[in-house]
């Protein structure tokens, strides 16, 4: 404790004194979460404090300008806010705190500790929107990424620096699969963004995943569903900024975002408040472009040698795989894992639909024998699912088709291969060996 106090005093000793005059404005209008402030000219993204009584304030963020007024969005509830309240800027616009001080901690969208520990004194800042570089500076995905999940390792092999979406409806097992990947993945740092989810899931994740050796290399950024939409977007941006910081140190980072859909919903709320028209089935253009900007920040860095492997969950509303968010995510990600409600109802966990899932970099990171047996597995699984109704009704006559006959004989073994208990971990090498042994046994 004394060492921490000494470091804090040293920082105060070297800090520069800000003697410049400070600007402030006055609150002129409040419409739900939207504020209009006069007399305060600050950049978009600046965080401000609205004083509703002496010594008490609530945070807001600048999101635009209109008719000479500064438009802000509250980061909390508008209770007790009154006309003419003093509004003053706080902090540097467009920057968020980062650093190794966040490792082993759980924070909110503003980087404040929520785990009951001491305040985080991060000494470095990072652009909340990232640092845009040359696309040719991104090194290609060439090394496989071990997830610890047998079906993913063997059939849709991930690569270090790849961006993958886990797409499913509600209650199909996205969060459980994410937890399995977080526990079994080989990465230097794990950044988990729990955006727009239930508060219970946040506490469960912290309790079960932030324990043992894993705790010291994990950061959780949690913004539950009852928080303001701009705070949810800011939480996703902060989690990505932390991942970029550690990648710049040459580390391999696993970035888990749950969920990308909630980020899109939050961005939609902000866009609608600003009067932006809807274009894609209820989503303004800026809401979907937010996803593109967020996902494109992951990947490999040629300069530092570090990497961000991104795993993003995408909620398919009503199990609709053609939902605008699902369709946009599928087009910008390097692969997608589809979880099927039908398979979950048949007690297959994780409920991975092998035929509908795809890793776009798998052919570049695995050898030909592995690729051959993976394609053989996918063909057998697709053949059985295509003819499942005929088989169950007894309408198929054995011997009519050799491919269907083999898929029927292998079906139980294929299903057992995909199933895996939540606490089990299967390495990449073991997954490939078990896949080869399975199909060799079936020949």
């Amino acid at each position: 404790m004394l060492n921490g106090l000494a470091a804090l005093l040293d920082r105060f000793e070297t800090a520069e004194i800000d003697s410049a005059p400070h600007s402030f404005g006055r609150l002129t209008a409040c419409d739900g979460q939207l504020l209009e402030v006069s007399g305060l000219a600050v950049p978009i993204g600046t965080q401000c404090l609205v004083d509703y009584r002496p010594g008490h304030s609530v945070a807001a963020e600048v999101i635009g300008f209109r008719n000479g007024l500064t438009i802000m969005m509250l980061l909390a509830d508008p209770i007790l806010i009154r006309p003419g309240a003093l509004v003053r800027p706080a902090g540097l616009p467009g920057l968020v705190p980062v650093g190794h001080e966040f490792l082993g901690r759980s924070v909110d969208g503003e980087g404040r500790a929520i785990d009951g520990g001491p305040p985080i004194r991060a000494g470095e800042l990072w652009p909340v929107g990232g640092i845009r570089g040359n696309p040719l500076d991104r090194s290609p995905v060439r090394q496989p990424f071990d997830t610890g999940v047998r079906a993913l390792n063997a059939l849709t092999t991930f690569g270090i620096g790849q961006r993958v979406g886990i797409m499913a409806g509600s209650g199909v097992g996205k969060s459980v699969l994410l937890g399995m990947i977080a526990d079994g993945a080989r990465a230097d740092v794990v950044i988990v963004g729990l955006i727009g989810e239930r508060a219970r899931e946040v506490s469960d994740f912290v309790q079960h995943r932030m324990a043992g050796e894993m705790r010291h290399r994990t950061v959780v950024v949690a913004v539950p569903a009852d928080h303001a939409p701009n705070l949810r977007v800011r939480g996703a941006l902060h989690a990505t900024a932390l991942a970029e910081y550690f990648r710049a140190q040459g580390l391999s980072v696993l970035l888990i975002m749950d969920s990308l859909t909630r980020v899109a919903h939050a961005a939609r709320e902000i866009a609608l408040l600003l009067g932006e028209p809807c274009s894609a089935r209820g989503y303004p253009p800026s809401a979907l472009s937010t996803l593109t900007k967020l996902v494109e920040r992951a990947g490999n860095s040629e300069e530092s040698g570090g990497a961000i492997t991104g795993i993003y969950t995408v909620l398919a509303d009503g199990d609709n795989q053609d939902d605008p968010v699902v369709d946009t995510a599928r087009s910008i990600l390097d692969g997608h894992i589809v979880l099927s409600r039908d398979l979950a109802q048949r007690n297959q966990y994780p409920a991975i639909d092998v035929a509908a899932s795809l890793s776009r970099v798998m052919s570049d990171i695995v050898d030909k024998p592995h690729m051959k047996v993976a394609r053989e597995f996918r063909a057998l699984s697709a053949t059985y699912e295509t003819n499942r109704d005929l088989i169950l009704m007894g309408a198929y006559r054995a011997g009519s088709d050799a491919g269907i006959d083999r898929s029927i004989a292998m079906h139980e073994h294929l299903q057992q291969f995909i199933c895996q208990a939540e606490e089990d971990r299967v390495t990449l090498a073991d997954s490939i060996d078990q896949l080869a042994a399975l199909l060799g046994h079936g020949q």
Side-chain angles (χ1 to χ4, degrees):
M1 179 177 179
L2 293 178
N3 291 335
L5 182 59
L8 181 59
L9 292 175
D10 291 340
R11 187 179 302 171
F12 286 153
E13 184 178 358
T14 58
E16 296 182 2
I17 299 176
D18 184 9
S19 59
H22 292 274
S23 59
F24 64 89
R26 293 289 181 179
L27 181 63
T28 61
C30 175
D31 184 7
Q33 298 290 122
L34 202 65
L35 305 180
E36 293 184 1
V37 179
S38 64
L40 184 63
V42 290
I44 289 178
T46 303
Q47 284 204 30
C48 299
L49 295 177
V50 183
D51 296 333
Y52 56 87
R53 67 184 183 194
H56 296 79
S57 59
V58 63
E61 182 180 1
V62 178
I63 60 174
F65 310 99
R66 182 186 302 150
N67 300 327
L69 299 175
T70 300
I71 309 300
M72 300 185 184
M73 195 167 188
L74 282 171
L75 299 177
D77 296 326
I79 301 174
L80 300 179
I81 290 181
R82 56 181 174 79
L86 185 72
V87 182
R88 49 194 171 87
L92 297 175
L95 298 174
V96 291
V98 295
H100 287 78
E101 296 86 350
F102 282 90
L103 292 175
R105 303 301 301 274
S106 301
V107 299
D108 62 9
E110 299 179 80
R112 298 177 300 192
I114 59 174
D115 53 7
I120 299 174
R121 307 290 184 182
E124 299 188 58
L125 297 173
W126 195 269
V128 68
I131 301 174
R132 182 174 298 177
N134 190 327
L136 297 180
D137 292 337
R138 290 286 181 88
S139 55
V141 179
R142 289 292 181 264
Q143 298 295 323
F145 181 83
D146 191 348
T147 64
V149 180
R150 178 172 51 228
L152 300 183
N153 282 341
L155 303 175
T156 57
T157 310
F158 295 176
I160 296 176
Q162 185 179 1
R163 292 84 53 88
V164 183
I166 300 178
M167 303 174 177
S170 58
V172 185
K174 297 187 300 299
S175 298
V176 174
L177 182 57
L178 275 184
M180 294 173 66
I181 294 174
D183 286 347
R186 303 294 178 87
D188 299 322
V189 177
V190 179
I191 309 292
V192 182
L194 302 177
I195 310 300
E197 297 301 317
R198 297 181 291 273
R200 179 193 60 80
E201 287 190 348
V202 175
S203 60
D204 286 350
F205 190 96
V206 172
Q207 181 179 358
H208 292 97
R209 313 297 174 189
M210 295 284 287
E213 184 272 336
M214 181 182 175
R215 175 186 179 90
H216 303 292
R217 58 186 179 95
T218 303
V219 183
V220 175
V221 181
V223 188
D226 59 341
H227 286 56
N230 51 334
L231 194 57
R232 279 177 264 153
V233 174
R234 192 175 184 86
L237 294 174
H238 196 176
T240 308
L242 284 166
E244 287 180 319
Y245 167 79
F246 287 111
R247 178 181 63 185
Q249 312 301 312
L251 300 177
S252 176
V253 182
L254 171 62
L255 172 62
I256 295 177
M257 190 74 68
D258 186 17
S259 77
L260 209 59
T261 304
R262 304 303 186 193
V263 177
H265 289 175
R268 176 176 60 182
E269 291 183 49
I270 298 172
L272 292 177
L273 280 173
L274 290 174
E276 187 175 339
C278 298
S279 59
R281 283 180 284 178
Y283 287 91
S286 65
L288 299 180
S289 67
T290 299
L291 304 185
T292 304
K293 296 175 183 176
L294 196 65
V295 169
E296 280 299 315
R297 293 168 62 179
N300 295 328
S301 171
E302 186 76 34
E303 180 180 358
S304 69
I308 299 176
T309 304
I311 310 292
Y312 305 88
T313 65
V314 183
L315 177 64
D317 290 333
D319 292 335
N320 180 17
Q321 293 295 326
D322 294 324
D323 179 85
V325 177
V326 177
D327 196 44
T328 300
R330 189 187 298 115
S331 67
I332 60 178
L333 292 169
D334 302 322
H336 53 272
I337 306 301
V338 178
L339 302 185
S340 167
R341 190 175 301 277
D342 290 339
L343 295 177
Q345 291 172 347
R346 297 180 212 165
N347 202 32
Q348 174 181 307
Y349 289 101
I352 300 173
D353 187 341
V354 175
S357 301
L358 174 69
S359 172
R360 294 179 178 174
V361 304
M362 182 176 176
S363 59
D364 298 326
I365 58 178
V366 302
D367 54 28
K368 291 183 178 179
H370 178 191
M371 198 69 194
K372 179 180 178 181
V373 291
R375 287 174 174 169
E376 187 177 346
F377 186 106
R378 296 168 70 91
L380 288 171
S381 178
T383 299
Y384 183 88
E385 291 299 326
T386 302
N387 298 279
R388 185 172 184 272
D389 291 340
L390 293 176
I391 296 170
L392 294 180
M393 289 187 302
Y396 174 74
R397 181 181 301 175
S400 300
D401 186 283
I404 299 178
D405 290 340
R406 187 174 181 224
S407 70
I408 295 173
M410 291 289 298
H411 174 65
E412 185 175 351
H413 300 290
L414 300 180
Q415 188 177 33
Q416 290 176 355
F417 182 85
I418 296 175
C419 291
Q420 182 175 330
E422 183 179 353
E423 63 277 5
D424 291 345
R425 300 293 172 264
V426 184
T427 65
L428 178 62
D430 289 343
S431 301
I432 298 172
D433 292 341
Q434 291 177 23
L435 176 62
L438 170 67
L439 294 182
H441 175 72
Q443 291 177 344

